[in-house]
Amino acid sequence: MDRPLLDGKVALITGGSRGIGFGIATAFRAEGATVVLTARKAAGLDEAREQLLATPGTGQVHTVVANAGDPDQAAAAVAETAERFGPLDVLVNNAATNPYMGPLADIDLSRAAKTAQVNQIAPMLWIHAAREHGMGRDSGAAVINVASVGGLLVDPHIGFYNATKAALIHLTMQLGYELGPDIRVNAIAPGVIKTELARAVWEAREGVLTAQLPMRRLGTVEDCGNAAVFLASDLSSWITGHTLVIDGGALGLPRAVQT
């Protein structure tokens, strides 16, 4: 029997208690990884841990309450993980926020700052903390940033959110250049994924959206999890600085259909 793709790896996933983060955690554990989930709410983490332990997999599951955008909490979460399990092999920067909907030109400074802190600056904080606690000393270390296909598009409602995701895509390229060969840095850019958090986006328009997509369905957290396993494993050992779009073909639609 072949060894699981992430056998013995230690992976930390920010915003891992639900949605895409939880889907990635599930896929990682199924491939043999020990997973550490962080999120702001203990109750959600406790529920996620119970659900994960009920899924196939041999790795341990640990949770740490941490606000992804808080430098001290990020450092403490990585330190706790390293003390318990050793240096990180995989870091998934999944946590994100979007407190503002509306024209980019009208966003207020406080919500712009919060969005940038969590979506753009926090991934660098977590990477810094992971390196401070030994990530990259052994071969095979990987960072996966969860961006968005919105970082490659224009949208009338979430322009600043998309701008932070575009910045994350560029940071992925830059960090891939700077941290190689010790740490590979890649990203995934999901399109519309069927999560509870995004229900307002897809539920009422699912039929219309799926009819337009070449793959004729919306994305799932399992789609994101499978892509993350590939980027975290040795299967992608010569890939860094790359963003993998997971959108069912939406980015390639003719402009008239996209709008």
Side-chain angles (χ1 to χ4, degrees):
M1 181 177 179
D2 293 336
R3 292 180 60 188
L5 290 172
L6 302 179
D7 187 40
K9 301 276 190 182
V10 177
L12 186 150
I13 304 160
T14 68
S17 63
R18 59 181 179 174
I20 291 173
F22 183 79
I24 292 174
T26 302
F28 278 10
R29 186 166 185 271
E31 288 294 342
T34 288
V35 294
V36 178
L37 311 181
T38 74
R40 292 183 296 112
K41 298 180 180 179
L45 286 170
D46 291 343
E47 182 179 351
R49 183 176 185 276
E50 290 182 8
Q51 292 176 350
L52 269 181
L53 289 173
T55 64
T58 57
Q60 299 182 61
V61 180
H62 184 62
T63 62
V64 183
V65 176
N67 183 334
D70 185 303
D72 293 334
Q73 293 184 34
V78 173
E80 180 176 329
T81 300
E83 182 177 354
R84 183 178 290 254
F85 302 112
L88 291 181
D89 299 295
V90 184
L91 169 65
V92 180
N93 287 307
N94 169 70
T97 190
N98 184 36
Y100 174 78
M101 294 278 289
L104 174 61
D106 294 336
I107 192 171
D108 55 277
L109 179 59
S110 63
R111 283 185 286 186
K114 179 179 179 180
T115 307
Q117 180 67 24
V118 176
N119 298 359
Q120 181 178 341
I121 298 172
M124 295 188 294
L125 298 175
W126 287 84
I127 291 170
H128 177 78
R131 293 178 69 217
E132 286 285 300
H133 289 85
M135 185 179 193
R137 291 177 188 168
D138 297 323
S139 62
V143 171
I144 301 170
N145 296 321
V146 179
S148 168
V149 72
L152 303 167
L153 298 170
V154 172
D155 185 281
H157 306 296
I158 55 172
F160 193 78
Y161 170 86
N162 285 346
T164 64
K165 292 300 187 176
L168 185 58
I169 289 170
H170 185 83
L171 288 170
T172 297
M173 290 190 290
Q174 182 69 29
L175 289 166
Y177 166 73
E178 291 185 6
L179 300 185
D182 299 325
I183 301 175
R184 294 184 301 108
V185 184
N186 292 294
I188 61 173
V192 180
I193 304 297
K194 292 183 70 172
T195 65
E196 281 299 315
L197 190 63
R199 182 174 290 277
V201 175
W202 60 264
E203 187 171 42
R205 302 180 62 231
E206 184 171 3
V208 174
L209 293 170
T210 55
Q212 296 174 348
L213 290 173
M215 297 309 296
R216 298 296 190 271
R217 68 172 177 86
L218 298 184
T220 66
V221 297
E222 289 79 14
D223 292 320
C224 296
N226 290 337
V229 166
F230 168 70
L231 291 175
S233 74
D234 290 340
L235 293 177
S236 60
S237 62
W238 207 50
I239 299 175
T240 195
H242 178 74
T243 295
L244 177 60
V245 175
I246 308 169
D247 69 348
L251 196 62
L253 290 174
R255 178 104 180 149
V257 177
Q258 288 183 358
T259 56

